[in-house]
Amino acid sequence: MTPNQQDALLIIDVQNDFCPGGALAVSEGDQVVSVINAVARNFQHIVLTQDWHPAGHASFASSHNAEPYSTTRLHYGEQTLWPDHCVQGSDGAKFHPSLQTDNARLIIRKGMHHDIDSYSAFFENDQTTTTGLSGYLRQLDIKRVFCTGLAFDYCVRFTAEDAVKENFQTVVIEDACRAIDMNGSADAARASFEDAGIRLISSKELTPDR
Ligand code: VGL
Ligand code: ZN
């Protein structure tokens, strides 16, 4: 499978806080970096996302005097509460230092509204507030997106599902992702991808020489 002009690589939240040692560490999160750097060489259109919360964000357990990984209701529905992470301007919010970002054309920052979390690169968790990504991709005549990054079962999952809703063909490169895997969330993501017609592939299909 060789990406063409109408394909885009989406690199979701490969940030220090989602890697080992970070505030919301995803097991083996740093291991996606070399895989993503390798597949990125095949793409002309690369978009990065960066989880980018103001201090005191509504998705932080500390803002509700609650335990991390518990849930609460926000104005748009149920929301998992996370440890403080990816605070704007912090080291935890920086991209992993080995992630090659120079060829990315766009960086979408998300989760910036104090009262709305945003897992997806397309729509915030109220499912209405847009990041502008669909318009950007359409104007570049992108037809298909390849999703990578962290976390497989949260931000990658919601991005891939929204990409389908926005009429992009959608592929997830599974070994270029790692999951938080809480209460069966990784298996739930796989089942949902199957239902939505989202293809799961291995990076080997894009980089046969590695
Ligand atoms: C993410 C939880 C909270 C992610 C971001 O990137 O998957 N998960 N914020
Ligand atoms: Zn977040």
Side-chain angles (χ1 to χ4, degrees), residues 147-166:
C147 303
T148 62
L150 304 171
F152 175 79
D153 40 352
Y154 285 90
C155 289
V156 175
R157 174 184 176 177
F158 283 77
T159 296
E161 290 173 0
D162 279 351
V164 171
K165 288 181 197 147
E166 291 294 289

Side-chain angles (χ1 to χ4, degrees), residues 3 5 9 22 27 29 50 57 67 76 94 105 124 136-137 154 156 165 172 178 184 199-200:
Q5 283 278 17
L9 179 66
S27 173
Q50 196 169 23
H57 191 249
E67 288 297 315
Y76 49 80
K94 291 190 174 125
R105 298 183 60 165
E124 310 220 345
Y136 174 85
L137 295 174
Y154 285 90
V156 175
K165 288 181 197 147
V172 173
R178 288 294 185 279
R199 262 188 79 190
L200 274 174

Side-chain angles (χ1 to χ4, degrees), residues 12 28 34 50 68-69 77-78 89 98 102 109 153 166 189 203 208:
I12 308 299
E28 301 183 348
S34 59
Q50 196 169 23
Y69 309 103
E78 188 166 278
S98 303
D102 290 351
R109 286 173 165 170
D153 40 352
E166 291 294 289
S203 64

Side-chain angles (χ1 to χ4, degrees), residues 46-81:
I46 301 173
V47 175
L48 301 170
T49 69
Q50 196 169 23
D51 212 35
W52 194 251
H53 301 305
H57 191 249
S59 75
F60 294 171
S62 63
S63 306
H64 305 265
N65 291 315
E67 288 297 315
Y69 309 103
S70 63
T71 56
T72 192
R73 287 198 77 76
L74 296 184
H75 65 93
Y76 49 80
E78 188 166 278
Q79 170 70 47
T80 300
L81 295 174

Side-chain angles (χ1 to χ4, degrees), residues 30-156:
D30 55 336
Q31 294 190 23
V32 304
V33 174
S34 59
V35 181
I36 293 172
N37 286 342
V39 298
R41 289 191 212 109
N42 298 290
F43 286 87
Q44 291 158 48
H45 301 287
I46 301 173
V47 175
L48 301 170
T49 69
Q50 196 169 23
D51 212 35
W52 194 251
H53 301 305
H57 191 249
S59 75
F60 294 171
S62 63
S63 306
H64 305 265
N65 291 315
E67 288 297 315
Y69 309 103
S70 63
T71 56
T72 192
R73 287 198 77 76
L74 296 184
H75 65 93
Y76 49 80
E78 188 166 278
Q79 170 70 47
T80 300
L81 295 174
W82 305 104
D84 291 23
H85 65 279
C86 297
V87 174
Q88 295 172 4
S90 66
D91 284 341
K94 291 190 174 125
F95 293 115
H96 185 286
S98 303
L99 183 71
Q100 284 162 24
T101 61
D102 290 351
N103 292 328
R105 298 183 60 165
L106 177 69
I107 299 173
I108 295 266
R109 286 173 165 170
K110 59 185 184 61
M112 296 184 65
H113 296 106
H114 181 276
D115 296 326
I116 318 175
D117 203 8
S118 187
Y119 295 151
S120 161
F122 290 92
F123 293 100
E124 310 220 345
N125 287 10
D126 62 1
Q127 295 178 9
T128 309
T129 305
T130 175
T131 65
L133 181 57
S134 296
Y136 174 85
L137 295 174
R138 282 202 194 100
Q139 289 218 313
L140 291 177
D141 202 27
I142 301 296
K143 303 279 193 245
R144 183 169 60 172
V145 297
F146 289 73
C147 303
T148 62
L150 304 171
F152 175 79
D153 40 352
Y154 285 90
C155 289
V156 175

Side-chain angles (χ1 to χ4, degrees), residues 152-154 174 179-191 193:
F152 175 79
D153 40 352
Y154 285 90
E174 195 167 11
I180 294 174
D181 203 9
M182 201 165 69
N183 308 319
S185 53
D187 283 342
R190 272 185 212 98
F193 290 165

